Amino acid sequence: MTHIHYLLAPAAALLGACAQLPPVDNAELTRQVTATETAFAATMARRDFAAFQTFLSEEAIFDGGREPLRGKAAVAAAWKRYFEGEKAPFSWEPDRVVVLSSGTLAQSGGPVRDPQGKLTARFNSIWRQEAPGQWRIVFDKGEPVCDCGARAAP
């Protein structure tokens, strides 16, 4: 029995250490994701396509066209055209970020504006923490905004 005790003691210590993981600082993670989304949007303003690609997860899905774009290569290929020309065709910024209590996934959302600053859509993105402090986008979807006030009354 003594030999079994020596074999089980390291396993028990490891399990005890896992049970005592430090708590997730949700406010800090929210700041990280907000900064990441802001930096991601800045790639469009700077016309920096190479930097844009660094924010994409290998398995990213961007859903906003006829068919979802699946994978980093497909997203990059489709978005390359938005980085051509001197002026960005649109801009975006986060106005809401929430992070799971586990600290592994986050959602960001906010307005999308045309070059004149007019609100044209809202985006919703899901970010995954792929390494400590390193967030990459895994899902993205944009939706046009409704100018409901402009509708005529029936």
Side-chain angles (χ1 to χ4, degrees), residues 33 36-37 40 52 55-64 67-72 75 79 92 96 98 100 104-110 122-130 135-143:
V33 175
T36 300
E37 180 71 65
F40 184 51
F52 169 84
F55 290 91
L56 303 174
S57 171
E58 287 298 326
E59 56 186 343
I61 296 176
F62 277 39
D63 186 14
E67 294 293 324
L69 301 169
R70 292 183 170 272
K72 180 177 182 173
V75 172
W79 275 62
W92 71 93
R96 183 164 173 84
V98 292
L100 287 180
T104 57
L105 292 174
Q107 179 200 18
S108 60
R122 285 197 57 86
F123 75 90
N124 285 287
S125 301
I126 305 295
W127 296 85
R128 178 173 58 205
Q129 187 168 203
E130 294 191 345
W135 294 87
R136 290 220 169 87
I137 193 165
V138 288
F139 290 100
D140 183 81
K141 183 163 181 72
E143 296 284 341

Side-chain angles (χ1 to χ4, degrees), residues 3-20:
H3 296 293
I4 292 174
H5 177 70
Y6 288 118
L7 294 173
L8 294 178
L14 182 60
L15 287 174
C18 290
Q20 297 175 12

